[in-house]
Amino acid sequence: MKVRLVAPALLLVFAFALTGCGVIYSKQHYGSPGTRSISADATKADVFANLGQPNAIYRHGEDEVFVYKYAEGENILGLVSKIRREDTVVIMDNTGAVRWVQKVPVGRGLTILSGPALDATHPVRTSTLLFEPENYSVSEEK
């Protein structure tokens, strides 16, 4: 009778060990969440106050484009992991007023049986979290 109870218990312990060292549930939110909104005609100060420092700044003529990355992840028992990325793009004119704001769905993913060798922040990779701002310049066509 005791042998019948030991085998399933060992199988359960082994299954937890393979699924991410016993993670039961984790949820991650990284970057500037898309839940905050910026309206047209807001100022650059409004954008910084609500969304913080952008991940990337692009310049085209006198206009500036701010890109705010946002990633959201979920891990259940190390068996199922999901990720979704949605960036917010803000275009500012030469007076510092917001001309256009849009949320851009960049991608989503699903992993089944995510093992213990993956990042602790899985499904969001550590390299995603340790970003450096990227600044680019777009040359105008002649």
Side-chain angles (χ1 to χ4, degrees), residues 10-28:
L10 285 174
L11 183 60
L12 186 61
V13 168
F14 183 69
F16 273 116
L18 286 178
T19 61
C21 300
V23 171
I24 294 174
Y25 179 80
S26 69
K27 189 156 183 123
Q28 306 91 27

Side-chain angles (χ1 to χ4, degrees), residues 75-93:
N75 190 331
I76 303 169
L77 293 175
L79 298 173
V80 177
S81 299
K82 298 177 185 177
I83 187 169
R84 178 179 68 88
R85 183 169 155 202
E86 181 179 74
D87 294 353
T88 301
V89 177
V90 180
I91 298 179
M92 310 282 298
D93 65 16

Side-chain angles (χ1 to χ4, degrees), residues 57-83:
I57 300 173
Y58 300 88
R59 296 186 194 280
H60 186 270
E62 295 182 5
D63 292 342
E64 290 180 302
V65 179
F66 297 155
V67 178
Y68 291 90
K69 296 178 183 178
Y70 176 70
E72 183 176 288
E74 181 178 37
N75 190 331
I76 303 169
L77 293 175
L79 298 173
V80 177
S81 299
K82 298 177 185 177
I83 187 169

